[in-house]
Amino acid sequence: MAREDEVVDTSRRIAQAYVHLGQLSSAILEYESILQRRPDDASVLAALGEIEAKLGFTEIGLRAARLAFAPLPDRRRRVLDDLRRMQGNTTLKPH
């Protein structure tokens, strides 16, 4: 296994442990570190969507999940851009 794969796998396990412990903010940070290396990782995007939904940000969570399963690169890019805009929106409130 390449070093890069080992780093990502370790980060993924750490993030999953944080979720299990209920430390969702730490899990988000760990998953985001994976996205720095692999921005199109569907499993990470889906996991982030689940966390966002747990935190009450259902619209962001649904968009992240939709991104994870979007089959076409152009569609994924549009959904990802939309998601990033939403996450940067300081007026966004949990539902």
Side-chain angles (χ1 to χ4, degrees), residues 56-77:
F57 295 104
T58 54
E59 190 173 351
I60 290 176
L62 289 172
R63 288 184 186 267
R66 201 172 86 209
L67 172 63
F69 298 105
L72 303 174
D74 288 343
R75 184 172 179 200
R76 289 175 63 89
R77 197 171 305 114

Side-chain angles (χ1 to χ4, degrees), residues 1-93:
M1 183 181 294
R3 174 80 174 127
E4 178 80 11
D5 292 337
E6 289 177 14
V7 169
V8 169
D9 287 344
T10 299
S11 290
R12 190 181 317 272
R13 286 193 301 275
I14 291 169
Q16 290 166 345
Y18 280 137
V19 170
H20 181 73
L21 293 170
Q23 297 177 9
L24 300 181
S25 296
S26 296
I28 289 170
L29 291 174
E30 199 65 40
Y31 280 129
E32 286 178 350
S33 75
I34 296 171
L35 290 178
Q36 295 287 324
R37 296 172 182 273
R38 297 190 179 156
D40 292 329
D41 189 310
S43 66
V44 170
L45 292 166
L48 280 171
E50 288 179 28
I51 292 170
E52 296 285 356
K54 284 181 185 179
L55 292 173
F57 295 104
T58 54
E59 190 173 351
I60 290 176
L62 289 172
R63 288 184 186 267
R66 201 172 86 209
L67 172 63
F69 298 105
L72 303 174
D74 288 343
R75 184 172 179 200
R76 289 175 63 89
R77 197 171 305 114
R78 283 194 310 270
V79 174
L80 183 57
D81 289 343
D82 193 24
L83 177 62
R84 286 183 177 142
R85 274 192 301 277
M86 291 177 70
Q87 286 176 325
N89 181 355
T90 58
T91 61
L92 186 66
K93 301 282 190 249

